[in-house]
Amino acid sequence: MTISPKQLRQYKLIVLLSTGKPVRKDTLFQEMDCSEPTFTRDLREVREEFQAGIKFNKATSKYQLADKGSLTPKLLSYMRDVL
């Protein structure tokens, strides 16, 4: 199965945050290999599409998945397999 570069970035974002632990903003940029505006768009789309509660802590500059929304364990497993 072939996925688009956009889907690949979004899957990486979701998988990195799915542990529930805070992840540094720089780490996300590096892993997703994208610019800040692209990251912001992908983040917004993930929040909207999956109703995911992704919070940002300004003091630590870290993102954290606070609410998985419609991200089921089966869907997360699929995303990990694709990566």
Side-chain angles (χ1 to χ4, degrees):
M1 173 182 191
T2 305
I3 63 172
S4 71
K6 179 179 172 180
Q7 284 176 308
L8 182 64
R9 286 191 315 270
Q10 291 179 355
Y11 285 10
K12 283 182 182 179
L13 173 64
I14 291 167
V15 168
L16 288 167
L17 294 174
S18 69
T19 64
K21 295 179 183 176
V23 181
R24 290 193 53 78
K25 186 178 185 179
D26 326 357
T27 303
L28 293 173
F29 285 172
Q30 186 178 21
E31 290 292 324
M32 293 172 64
D33 191 29
C34 67
S35 66
E36 189 165 355
T38 300
F39 171 77
T40 303
R41 282 191 298 274
D42 286 343
L43 181 63
R44 181 179 57 241
E45 289 179 19
V46 166
R47 284 175 168 154
E48 291 172 359
E49 185 176 342
F50 299 103
Q51 296 83 40
I54 301 172
K55 309 259 180 183
F56 180 68
N57 183 326
K58 289 182 184 179
T60 61
S61 191
K62 292 182 180 182
Y63 283 91
Q64 184 172 13
L65 183 65
D67 178 17
K68 290 186 179 181
S70 63
L71 292 166
T72 63
K74 185 176 181 179
L75 184 56
L76 288 169
S77 176
Y78 167 77
M79 290 178 183
R80 284 186 191 98
D81 290 345
V82 167
L83 297 176

